[in-house]
Amino acid sequence: MASAPVRDRTGRLAIIAGHGFLPLHVAEAARAAGDEPFVICLEDEADRDFSAFDHAVAGVGDQVRIERLLRERGVKRVVMSGGVRRRPELRQIRPTVSTLLKLPQALKTLLAGGDDAVLRMVISLFEGMGCRVVGVHEILPGLLADTGTLGRHTPTDEDRRDIARGAEAARLLGQLDVGQGAVSVGGRIVALEGVEGTDAMVYRVGELRASGRVSRRRRGALVKLCKPQQDMRADLPTIGPSTITAIVSAGLGGIAVEAGRALIVERETMLKAADDAGVFVCGIDAGLPSLGIGS
């Protein structure tokens, strides 16, 4: 279920923008709610036009510049939004005086930690700058996936078995802090998400299917879940129109995401594309019988 929007709007809101449409959606929603957000576009990551907003560019590892920008703009709330494809190189890291003592552990996390460990570290750095980190879902609760079938097409019995199998694999993968997604075809796990991201993983399934290494007779399902230990303020599983394009290309039957803990961007466009392509989209809940999608 969608959570209520945050009511504590003390201090200005900053949006740390990575790649994709989500940061722009967040900026527009924040403005519509009465905020005038300041957008920090991450260098070589942010790929949308933020010219309609007060914005600046900063390197992913440039804490000195980011802290100065936050202080100059009177920022007290921060939301991290969009993808970050590359971790900063050592030469790109500029720690502040207040974070120098944390530098050895931070470098260890950047070099060897999983994505969730890195995000928790980043959250702590923003908190050390005197900011409260909020989740995208707190600004845009309507993006959260609902429970059940969301489009016109419902999963078949075989699809439901693939969803259950994929959910089991995604949960175990998340415990290792590796990724959030898995693909099951005919009850067999054929792909697990790594650093390449969801769409690239799904396209890889298409290549495996074309080569005959994955059954061409069975549809299969993509499942995306939050990691069990995941901080809800960062990197929630996200799907959108590009996900539909990817699963159709791979011949999959549909997508299942964690209800209340996954984001759907451009929902109407995505569901129309899914309906037109004959694939299902559903929200699942491990606490409900049959994951909340029937039997």
Side-chain angles (χ1 to χ4, degrees):
M1 296 190 303
S3 62
V6 159
R7 300 188 183 281
D8 181 3
R9 287 164 49 191
T10 305
R12 194 173 183 185
L13 175 71
I15 298 168
I16 311 300
H19 68 84
F21 280 103
L22 186 57
L24 188 57
H25 291 323
V26 174
E28 292 168 345
R31 175 175 282 173
D35 276 308
E36 193 51 49
F38 170 54
V39 182
I40 296 181
C41 304
L42 295 179
E43 191 173 20
D44 298 325
E45 296 291 352
D47 55 0
R48 303 298 154 182
D49 181 9
F50 291 97
S51 59
F53 298 89
D54 182 15
H55 69 283
V57 178
V60 175
D62 195 345
Q63 295 176 35
V64 172
R65 176 167 170 75
I66 290 173
E67 184 174 39
R68 177 170 58 79
L69 289 169
L70 296 178
R71 187 172 60 251
E72 288 174 351
R73 297 315 200 280
V75 169
K76 291 299 180 183
R77 293 170 295 142
V78 170
V79 59
M80 297 185 290
S81 176
V84 176
R85 289 164 288 203
R86 304 175 188 85
R87 298 187 183 190
E89 297 179 9
L90 295 181
R91 60 182 175 79
Q92 296 174 310
I93 297 175
R94 296 182 63 211
T96 62
V97 173
S98 62
T99 59
L100 277 174
L101 292 177
K102 299 179 182 178
L103 188 59
Q105 182 60 42
L107 291 177
K108 180 180 178 182
T109 302
L110 281 172
L111 292 171
D115 287 345
D116 194 62
V118 170
L119 289 168
R120 286 198 303 271
M121 178 197 72
V122 172
I123 287 172
S124 72
L125 292 177
F126 280 120
E127 290 174 337
M129 296 176 189
C131 295
R132 183 168 62 88
V133 179
V134 300
V136 168
H137 64 290
E138 298 176 87
I139 297 172
L140 283 171
L143 289 186
L144 288 171
D146 305 306
T147 304
T149 300
L150 306 182
R152 194 168 67 232
H153 302 284
T154 59
T156 65
D157 289 343
E158 183 172 334
D159 292 331
R160 291 188 182 94
R161 287 192 290 271
D162 276 323
I163 290 169
R165 182 71 168 144
E168 180 184 5
R171 180 181 58 80
L172 292 172
L173 185 69
Q175 287 179 348
L176 296 174
D177 195 6
V178 174
Q180 299 171 324
V183 175
S184 173
V185 177
R188 173 191 175 202
I189 300 301
V190 299
L192 298 171
E193 183 184 8
V195 296
E196 80 275 33
T198 301
D199 290 357
M201 171 189 66
V202 174
Y203 282 119
R204 176 158 46 88
V205 173
E207 294 170 357
L208 291 170
R209 200 188 291 273
S211 69
R213 300 189 65 183
V214 171
S215 173
R216 297 176 182 175
R217 296 182 297 105
R218 293 179 162 175
R219 303 200 311 170
L222 164 66
V223 180
K224 292 198 72 172
L225 304 180
C226 261
K227 297 171 184 174
Q229 72 282 4
Q230 184 157 346
D231 191 312
M232 286 283 287
R233 293 173 292 176
D235 194 34
L236 291 184
T238 303
I239 60 173
S242 68
T243 321
I244 299 297
T245 301
I247 68 163
V248 170
S249 172
L252 297 177
I255 310 167
V257 294
E258 190 169 4
R261 288 163 59 87
L263 303 175
I264 301 177
V265 297
E266 299 181 81
R267 182 184 293 240
E268 290 186 8
T269 300
M270 192 200 77
L271 291 179
K272 184 180 185 306
D275 290 345
D276 291 347
V279 298
F280 64 83
V281 179
C282 58
I284 59 176
D285 185 335
L288 294 176
S290 301
L291 301 177
I293 55 173
S295 57

mmCIF file of all heavy atoms in Angstrom, residues 95-133:
data_model
loop_
_atom_site.group_PDB
_atom_site.id
_atom_site.type_symbol
_atom_site.label_atom_id
_atom_site.label_comp_id
_atom_site.label_asym_id
_atom_site.label_seq_id
_atom_site.Cartn_x
_atom_site.Cartn_y
_atom_site.Cartn_z
ATOM 1 N N PRO A 95 36.637 14.417 0.006
ATOM 2 C CA PRO A 95 35.901 14.376 1.270
ATOM 3 C C PRO A 95 35.923 15.730 1.974
ATOM 4 O O PRO A 95 36.840 16.530 1.798
ATOM 5 C CB PRO A 95 36.664 13.325 2.078
ATOM 6 C CG PRO A 95 38.064 13.424 1.563
ATOM 7 C CD PRO A 95 37.934 13.730 0.092
ATOM 8 N N THR A 96 34.898 15.979 2.783
ATOM 9 C CA THR A 96 34.881 17.173 3.608
ATOM 10 C C THR A 96 35.692 16.903 4.878
ATOM 11 O O THR A 96 36.021 15.756 5.193
ATOM 12 C CB THR A 96 33.445 17.536 4.010
ATOM 13 O OG1 THR A 96 32.896 16.464 4.787
ATOM 14 C CG2 THR A 96 32.575 17.754 2.771
ATOM 15 N N VAL A 97 35.986 17.967 5.596
ATOM 16 C CA VAL A 97 36.747 17.817 6.838
ATOM 17 C C VAL A 97 35.996 16.899 7.804
ATOM 18 O O VAL A 97 36.580 16.039 8.462
ATOM 19 C CB VAL A 97 36.996 19.195 7.491
ATOM 20 C CG1 VAL A 97 37.634 19.030 8.870
ATOM 21 C CG2 VAL A 97 37.893 20.048 6.596
ATOM 22 N N SER A 98 34.663 17.064 7.861
ATOM 23 C CA SER A 98 33.866 16.278 8.807
ATOM 24 C C SER A 98 33.800 14.800 8.447
ATOM 25 O O SER A 98 33.447 13.971 9.290
ATOM 26 C CB SER A 98 32.442 16.849 8.902
ATOM 27 O OG SER A 98 31.797 16.758 7.640
ATOM 28 N N THR A 99 34.113 14.447 7.204
ATOM 29 C CA THR A 99 34.025 13.043 6.798
ATOM 30 C C THR A 99 35.389 12.390 6.623
ATOM 31 O O THR A 99 35.466 11.220 6.261
ATOM 32 C CB THR A 99 33.237 12.895 5.475
ATOM 33 O OG1 THR A 99 33.895 13.660 4.443
ATOM 34 C CG2 THR A 99 31.819 13.381 5.640
ATOM 35 N N LEU A 100 36.459 13.121 6.903
ATOM 36 C CA LEU A 100 37.794 12.549 6.722
ATOM 37 C C LEU A 100 38.013 11.315 7.596
ATOM 38 O O LEU A 100 38.635 10.337 7.156
ATOM 39 C CB LEU A 100 38.872 13.602 7.045
ATOM 40 C CG LEU A 100 39.206 14.577 5.905
ATOM 41 C CD1 LEU A 100 40.163 15.644 6.408
ATOM 42 C CD2 LEU A 100 39.817 13.832 4.721
ATOM 43 N N LEU A 101 37.497 11.359 8.813
ATOM 44 C CA LEU A 101 37.676 10.213 9.706
ATOM 45 C C LEU A 101 36.946 8.977 9.189
ATOM 46 O O LEU A 101 37.316 7.851 9.503
ATOM 47 C CB LEU A 101 37.199 10.552 11.117
ATOM 48 C CG LEU A 101 38.041 11.594 11.872
ATOM 49 C CD1 LEU A 101 37.414 11.880 13.234
ATOM 50 C CD2 LEU A 101 39.480 11.108 12.040
ATOM 51 N N LYS A 102 35.890 9.187 8.398
ATOM 52 C CA LYS A 102 35.120 8.071 7.849
ATOM 53 C C LYS A 102 35.706 7.566 6.528
ATOM 54 O O LYS A 102 35.216 6.581 5.987
ATOM 55 C CB LYS A 102 33.665 8.488 7.605
ATOM 56 C CG LYS A 102 32.922 8.928 8.846
ATOM 57 C CD LYS A 102 31.501 9.345 8.489
ATOM 58 C CE LYS A 102 30.726 9.830 9.697
ATOM 59 N NZ LYS A 102 29.360 10.272 9.332
ATOM 60 N N LEU A 103 36.718 8.258 6.022
ATOM 61 C CA LEU A 103 37.214 7.954 4.678
ATOM 62 C C LEU A 103 37.696 6.515 4.501
ATOM 63 O O LEU A 103 37.349 5.868 3.514
ATOM 64 C CB LEU A 103 38.319 8.947 4.284
ATOM 65 C CG LEU A 103 38.797 8.880 2.835
ATOM 66 C CD1 LEU A 103 37.642 9.140 1.871
ATOM 67 C CD2 LEU A 103 39.917 9.883 2.588
ATOM 68 N N PRO A 104 38.508 5.964 5.416
ATOM 69 C CA PRO A 104 38.963 4.578 5.195
ATOM 70 C C PRO A 104 37.816 3.591 5.030
ATOM 71 O O PRO A 104 37.817 2.754 4.124
ATOM 72 C CB PRO A 104 39.796 4.288 6.450
ATOM 73 C CG PRO A 104 40.270 5.631 6.899
ATOM 74 C CD PRO A 104 39.116 6.550 6.617
ATOM 75 N N GLN A 105 36.803 3.685 5.910
ATOM 76 C CA GLN A 105 35.674 2.774 5.812
ATOM 77 C C GLN A 105 34.856 3.054 4.564
ATOM 78 O O GLN A 105 34.357 2.131 3.902
ATOM 79 C CB GLN A 105 34.784 2.902 7.049
ATOM 80 C CG GLN A 105 33.592 1.943 7.054
ATOM 81 C CD GLN A 105 34.018 0.493 6.999
ATOM 82 O OE1 GLN A 105 34.967 0.094 7.660
ATOM 83 N NE2 GLN A 105 33.332 -0.312 6.196
ATOM 84 N N ALA A 106 34.730 4.336 4.198
ATOM 85 C CA ALA A 106 33.977 4.703 2.998
ATOM 86 C C ALA A 106 34.644 4.141 1.752
ATOM 87 O O ALA A 106 33.976 3.619 0.849
ATOM 88 C CB ALA A 106 33.855 6.220 2.897
ATOM 89 N N LEU A 107 35.952 4.239 1.677
ATOM 90 C CA LEU A 107 36.676 3.705 0.519
ATOM 91 C C LEU A 107 36.529 2.186 0.448
ATOM 92 O O LEU A 107 36.349 1.623 -0.641
ATOM 93 C CB LEU A 107 38.158 4.088 0.603
ATOM 94 C CG LEU A 107 38.482 5.566 0.412
ATOM 95 C CD1 LEU A 107 39.971 5.806 0.600
ATOM 96 C CD2 LEU A 107 38.039 6.046 -0.969
ATOM 97 N N LYS A 108 36.588 1.529 1.602
ATOM 98 C CA LYS A 108 36.420 0.073 1.627
ATOM 99 C C LYS A 108 35.043 -0.302 1.105
ATOM 100 O O LYS A 108 34.890 -1.259 0.327
ATOM 101 C CB LYS A 108 36.613 -0.432 3.052
ATOM 102 C CG LYS A 108 36.452 -1.944 3.200
ATOM 103 C CD LYS A 108 36.662 -2.367 4.650
ATOM 104 C CE LYS A 108 36.442 -3.866 4.810
ATOM 105 N NZ LYS A 108 36.609 -4.287 6.239
ATOM 106 N N THR A 109 34.015 0.459 1.505
ATOM 107 C CA THR A 109 32.652 0.179 1.057
ATOM 108 C C THR A 109 32.516 0.415 -0.442
ATOM 109 O O THR A 109 31.898 -0.378 -1.159
ATOM 110 C CB THR A 109 31.647 1.067 1.813
ATOM 111 O OG1 THR A 109 31.784 0.820 3.216
ATOM 112 C CG2 THR A 109 30.215 0.758 1.391
ATOM 113 N N LEU A 110 33.095 1.514 -0.939
ATOM 114 C CA LEU A 110 33.012 1.817 -2.367
ATOM 115 C C LEU A 110 33.687 0.744 -3.213
ATOM 116 O O LEU A 110 33.201 0.384 -4.289
ATOM 117 C CB LEU A 110 33.661 3.169 -2.668
ATOM 118 C CG LEU A 110 32.829 4.415 -2.361
ATOM 119 C CD1 LEU A 110 33.681 5.659 -2.525
ATOM 120 C CD2 LEU A 110 31.621 4.488 -3.287
ATOM 121 N N LEU A 111 34.805 0.231 -2.722
ATOM 122 C CA LEU A 111 35.572 -0.736 -3.503
ATOM 123 C C LEU A 111 34.987 -2.146 -3.437
ATOM 124 O O LEU A 111 35.029 -2.875 -4.424
ATOM 125 C CB LEU A 111 37.027 -0.760 -3.017
ATOM 126 C CG LEU A 111 37.844 0.514 -3.290
ATOM 127 C CD1 LEU A 111 39.185 0.449 -2.576
ATOM 128 C CD2 LEU A 111 38.036 0.717 -4.788
ATOM 129 N N ALA A 112 34.442 -2.516 -2.287
ATOM 130 C CA ALA A 112 34.044 -3.918 -2.113
ATOM 131 C C ALA A 112 32.604 -4.120 -1.680
ATOM 132 O O ALA A 112 32.097 -5.240 -1.744
ATOM 133 C CB ALA A 112 34.972 -4.589 -1.086
ATOM 134 N N GLY A 113 31.919 -3.075 -1.246
ATOM 135 C CA GLY A 113 30.570 -3.238 -0.739
ATOM 136 C C GLY A 113 29.542 -3.389 -1.839
ATOM 137 O O GLY A 113 29.742 -2.944 -2.972
ATOM 138 N N GLY A 114 28.410 -4.014 -1.503
ATOM 139 C CA GLY A 114 27.292 -4.091 -2.432
ATOM 140 C C GLY A 114 26.591 -2.744 -2.525
ATOM 141 O O GLY A 114 26.872 -1.807 -1.767
ATOM 142 N N ASP A 115 25.639 -2.650 -3.456
ATOM 143 C CA ASP A 115 24.956 -1.367 -3.673
ATOM 144 C C ASP A 115 24.245 -0.870 -2.425
ATOM 145 O O ASP A 115 24.243 0.325 -2.130
ATOM 146 C CB ASP A 115 23.945 -1.504 -4.820
ATOM 147 C CG ASP A 115 24.624 -1.604 -6.170
ATOM 148 O OD1 ASP A 115 25.826 -1.289 -6.258
ATOM 149 O OD2 ASP A 115 23.951 -1.995 -7.148
ATOM 150 N N ASP A 116 23.607 -1.775 -1.680
ATOM 151 C CA ASP A 116 22.873 -1.350 -0.498
ATOM 152 C C ASP A 116 23.821 -0.800 0.555
ATOM 153 O O ASP A 116 23.514 0.203 1.206
ATOM 154 C CB ASP A 116 22.066 -2.524 0.068
ATOM 155 C CG ASP A 116 21.036 -2.069 1.082
ATOM 156 O OD1 ASP A 116 20.138 -1.293 0.703
ATOM 157 O OD2 ASP A 116 21.141 -2.456 2.250
ATOM 158 N N ALA A 117 24.974 -1.425 0.709
ATOM 159 C CA ALA A 117 25.963 -0.931 1.670
ATOM 160 C C ALA A 117 26.448 0.457 1.271
ATOM 161 O O ALA A 117 26.611 1.342 2.123
ATOM 162 C CB ALA A 117 27.141 -1.902 1.761
ATOM 163 N N VAL A 118 26.661 0.660 -0.025
ATOM 164 C CA VAL A 118 27.102 1.969 -0.510
ATOM 165 C C VAL A 118 26.019 3.017 -0.250
ATOM 166 O O VAL A 118 26.306 4.134 0.203
ATOM 167 C CB VAL A 118 27.442 1.912 -2.012
ATOM 168 C CG1 VAL A 118 27.672 3.320 -2.570
ATOM 169 C CG2 VAL A 118 28.682 1.057 -2.242
ATOM 170 N N LEU A 119 24.765 2.681 -0.524
ATOM 171 C CA LEU A 119 23.677 3.644 -0.330
ATOM 172 C C LEU A 119 23.508 4.002 1.140
ATOM 173 O O LEU A 119 23.247 5.165 1.479
ATOM 174 C CB LEU A 119 22.378 3.085 -0.903
ATOM 175 C CG LEU A 119 22.331 3.028 -2.431
ATOM 176 C CD1 LEU A 119 21.150 2.209 -2.904
ATOM 177 C CD2 LEU A 119 22.278 4.431 -3.024
ATOM 178 N N ARG A 120 23.647 3.026 2.030
ATOM 179 C CA ARG A 120 23.565 3.335 3.454
ATOM 180 C C ARG A 120 24.691 4.282 3.861
ATOM 181 O O ARG A 120 24.491 5.186 4.677
ATOM 182 C CB ARG A 120 23.618 2.048 4.286
ATOM 183 C CG ARG A 120 22.337 1.226 4.236
ATOM 184 C CD ARG A 120 22.264 0.236 5.394
ATOM 185 N NE ARG A 120 23.407 -0.663 5.428
ATOM 186 C CZ ARG A 120 23.469 -1.827 4.787
ATOM 187 N NH1 ARG A 120 22.453 -2.214 4.043
ATOM 188 N NH2 ARG A 120 24.545 -2.584 4.871
ATOM 189 N N MET A 121 25.873 4.078 3.273
ATOM 190 C CA MET A 121 26.996 4.970 3.569
ATOM 191 C C MET A 121 26.697 6.386 3.080
ATOM 192 O O MET A 121 26.939 7.376 3.782
ATOM 193 C CB MET A 121 28.267 4.449 2.894
ATOM 194 C CG MET A 121 29.493 5.339 3.102
ATOM 195 S SD MET A 121 30.802 4.970 1.921
ATOM 196 C CE MET A 121 30.106 5.641 0.405
ATOM 197 N N VAL A 122 26.137 6.492 1.857
ATOM 198 C CA VAL A 122 25.821 7.806 1.296
ATOM 199 C C VAL A 122 24.775 8.506 2.150
ATOM 200 O O VAL A 122 24.866 9.714 2.411
ATOM 201 C CB VAL A 122 25.338 7.665 -0.161
ATOM 202 C CG1 VAL A 122 24.818 8.999 -0.696
ATOM 203 C CG2 VAL A 122 26.476 7.160 -1.056
ATOM 204 N N ILE A 123 23.766 7.770 2.605
ATOM 205 C CA ILE A 123 22.744 8.348 3.478
ATOM 206 C C ILE A 123 23.391 8.915 4.742
ATOM 207 O O ILE A 123 23.075 10.027 5.182
ATOM 208 C CB ILE A 123 21.675 7.300 3.829
ATOM 209 C CG1 ILE A 123 20.782 7.024 2.611
ATOM 210 C CG2 ILE A 123 20.815 7.765 5.014
ATOM 211 C CD1 ILE A 123 19.824 5.868 2.797
ATOM 212 N N SER A 124 24.321 8.163 5.321
ATOM 213 C CA SER A 124 24.976 8.633 6.550
ATOM 214 C C SER A 124 25.795 9.893 6.284
ATOM 215 O O SER A 124 25.891 10.768 7.161
ATOM 216 C CB SER A 124 25.867 7.532 7.139
ATOM 217 O OG SER A 124 27.033 7.334 6.356
ATOM 218 N N LEU A 125 26.381 10.012 5.092
ATOM 219 C CA LEU A 125 27.148 11.211 4.759
ATOM 220 C C LEU A 125 26.234 12.429 4.677
ATOM 221 O O LEU A 125 26.579 13.511 5.175
ATOM 222 C CB LEU A 125 27.896 11.015 3.435
ATOM 223 C CG LEU A 125 29.026 9.991 3.441
ATOM 224 C CD1 LEU A 125 29.625 9.837 2.042
ATOM 225 C CD2 LEU A 125 30.111 10.372 4.433
ATOM 226 N N PHE A 126 25.065 12.276 4.050
ATOM 227 C CA PHE A 126 24.122 13.396 3.979
ATOM 228 C C PHE A 126 23.619 13.762 5.371
ATOM 229 O O PHE A 126 23.460 14.943 5.690
ATOM 230 C CB PHE A 126 22.950 13.058 3.061
ATOM 231 C CG PHE A 126 23.264 13.216 1.602
ATOM 232 C CD1 PHE A 126 23.177 12.137 0.725
ATOM 233 C CD2 PHE A 126 23.647 14.442 1.086
ATOM 234 C CE1 PHE A 126 23.477 12.276 -0.619
ATOM 235 C CE2 PHE A 126 23.950 14.600 -0.263
ATOM 236 C CZ PHE A 126 23.865 13.516 -1.114
ATOM 237 N N GLU A 127 23.378 12.748 6.196
ATOM 238 C CA GLU A 127 22.938 13.035 7.558
ATOM 239 C C GLU A 127 24.025 13.775 8.321
ATOM 240 O O GLU A 127 23.732 14.654 9.147
ATOM 241 C CB GLU A 127 22.558 11.737 8.263
ATOM 242 C CG GLU A 127 21.270 11.106 7.704
ATOM 243 C CD GLU A 127 20.964 9.750 8.302
ATOM 244 O OE1 GLU A 127 21.892 9.089 8.804
ATOM 245 O OE2 GLU A 127 19.790 9.339 8.249
ATOM 246 N N GLY A 128 25.293 13.433 8.030
ATOM 247 C CA GLY A 128 26.402 14.146 8.652
ATOM 248 C C GLY A 128 26.506 15.591 8.203
ATOM 249 O O GLY A 128 27.125 16.418 8.884
ATOM 250 N N MET A 129 25.905 15.909 7.071
ATOM 251 C CA MET A 129 25.856 17.291 6.587
ATOM 252 C C MET A 129 24.669 18.055 7.170
ATOM 253 O O MET A 129 24.403 19.196 6.792
ATOM 254 C CB MET A 129 25.763 17.301 5.052
ATOM 255 C CG MET A 129 26.953 16.721 4.330
ATOM 256 S SD MET A 129 26.704 16.673 2.514
ATOM 257 C CE MET A 129 28.127 15.699 1.995
ATOM 258 N N GLY A 130 23.920 17.397 8.068
ATOM 259 C CA GLY A 130 22.789 18.053 8.702
ATOM 260 C C GLY A 130 21.488 17.956 7.931
ATOM 261 O O GLY A 130 20.548 18.708 8.202
ATOM 262 N N CYS A 131 21.404 17.019 6.990
ATOM 263 C CA CYS A 131 20.194 16.870 6.176
ATOM 264 C C CYS A 131 19.438 15.601 6.558
ATOM 265 O O CYS A 131 20.042 14.617 6.995
ATOM 266 C CB CYS A 131 20.562 16.793 4.689
ATOM 267 S SG CYS A 131 21.314 18.307 4.038
ATOM 268 N N ARG A 132 18.130 15.661 6.389
ATOM 269 C CA ARG A 132 17.292 14.476 6.574
ATOM 270 C C ARG A 132 17.046 13.856 5.207
ATOM 271 O O ARG A 132 16.606 14.532 4.284
ATOM 272 C CB ARG A 132 15.960 14.853 7.229
ATOM 273 C CG ARG A 132 15.045 13.681 7.516
ATOM 274 C CD ARG A 132 13.899 14.094 8.428
ATOM 275 N NE ARG A 132 13.067 15.111 7.814
ATOM 276 C CZ ARG A 132 12.021 14.840 7.022
ATOM 277 N NH1 ARG A 132 11.713 13.588 6.727
ATOM 278 N NH2 ARG A 132 11.293 15.811 6.514
ATOM 279 N N VAL A 133 17.357 12.571 5.064
ATOM 280 C CA VAL A 133 17.183 11.874 3.790
ATOM 281 C C VAL A 133 15.784 11.274 3.755
ATOM 282 O O VAL A 133 15.373 10.561 4.682
ATOM 283 C CB VAL A 133 18.250 10.778 3.594
ATOM 284 C CG1 VAL A 133 18.031 10.047 2.273
ATOM 285 C CG2 VAL A 133 19.652 11.389 3.627
#
